[in-house]
């Protein structure tokens, strides 16, 4: 018997109706390339928080008191191409994100694009949307709550 066990999962917080509306909204831009934006970081100080020991015995160890840096990157992705990568030390702030978005990402996009990103707290969505529209792009954060296509400003498509 040849059986493959597969498990499919979804986030329990995910709202299938919002997902459907979001995907329906994307169909309004059939020939517009999509740029996905994300950021991540790596802490340069890693240590084990737990250890193994015989039952009833504690494990003692020392960790460094020196502070280490966080190395982070933010970039866009269009298909398999990475655009506007920025490597920086520390964590992302709203000010740094807007500067990168305005000075590096948007100038790297020649034709109109749909810009998709998560809803991180440091993403000032209204300001990012205004900057995108000024450069003839469309800003579509995840998840979109709710998408009302009648309110889209079509002037950027002209």
């Amino acid at each position: 018997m040849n059986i493959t066990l597969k498990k499919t999962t979804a986030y329990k917080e995910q709202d299938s109706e919002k997902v459907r509306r979001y995907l329906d909204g994307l169909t309004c831009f059939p020939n517009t390339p999509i740029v996905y934006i994300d950021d991540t970081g790596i802490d340069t100080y890693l240590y084990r928080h737990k250890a193994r020991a015989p039952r009833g015995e504690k494990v003692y160890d020392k960790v460094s008191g020196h502070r280490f840096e966080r190395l982070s990157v933010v970039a866009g992705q269009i298909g398999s191409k990475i655009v506007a990568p920025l490597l920086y030390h520390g964590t992302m702030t709203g000010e740094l994100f807007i500067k990168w978005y305005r000075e590096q990402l948007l100038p790297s996009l020649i034709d109109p694009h749909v810009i998709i990103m998560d809803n991180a707290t440091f993403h000032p969505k209204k300001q990012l949307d205004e900057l995108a529209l000024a450069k003839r792009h469309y800003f579509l954060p995840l998840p979109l709550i709710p998408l009302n296509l009648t309110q889209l400003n079509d002037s950027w498509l002209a």
Side-chain angles (χ1 to χ4, degrees):
M1 195 186 238
N2 189 6
I3 298 175
T4 303
L5 297 176
K6 293 183 179 181
K7 181 178 181 181
T8 57
T9 59
Y11 291 105
K12 62 183 176 183
E13 299 85 2
Q14 190 175 55
D15 182 331
S16 59
E17 179 59 25
K18 288 178 187 174
V19 170
R20 187 194 60 74
R21 284 195 310 257
Y22 188 87
L23 294 175
D24 286 348
L26 277 176
T27 63
C28 294
F29 310 98
N31 298 315
T32 307
I34 297 173
V35 57
Y36 297 96
I37 297 172
D38 207 357
D39 58 281
T40 190
I42 300 168
D43 290 320
T44 60
Y45 180 56
L46 302 173
Y47 65 94
R48 292 183 137 186
H49 297 272
K50 297 184 180 192
R52 294 182 185 265
R55 186 175 299 271
E57 292 184 27
K58 291 186 178 184
V59 175
Y60 294 95
D61 198 7
K62 294 181 180 180
V63 295
S64 174
H66 296 291
R67 296 218 179 249
F68 291 81
E69 291 186 341
R70 180 174 179 82
L71 185 60
S72 302
V73 65
V74 62
Q77 181 179 353
I78 304 168
S80 61
K81 181 181 173 188
I82 299 297
V83 295
L86 173 65
L87 190 65
Y88 58 97
H89 293 278
T91 57
M92 181 58 77
T93 64
E95 185 178 318
L96 176 59
F97 191 83
I98 291 170
K99 181 177 171 75
W100 169 79
Y101 187 88
R102 181 180 52 243
E103 296 177 10
Q104 289 185 259
L105 178 71
L106 293 178
S108 73
L109 307 175
I110 307 302
D111 300 319
H113 282 72
V114 176
I115 300 170
I116 297 179
M117 65 177 47
D118 61 20
N119 273 313
T121 56
F122 54 81
H123 294 160
K125 290 161 216 41
K126 183 176 180 189
Q127 191 172 358
L128 296 174
D129 187 38
E130 291 169 357
L131 289 167
L133 287 172
K135 297 290 184 181
R136 302 173 58 88
H137 302 293
Y138 186 72
F139 177 68
L140 194 61
L142 294 170
L144 190 59
I145 308 170
L147 180 60
N148 184 347
L149 297 177
T150 61
Q151 294 178 349
L152 290 179
N153 181 352
D154 291 335
S155 63
W156 72 276
L157 293 171

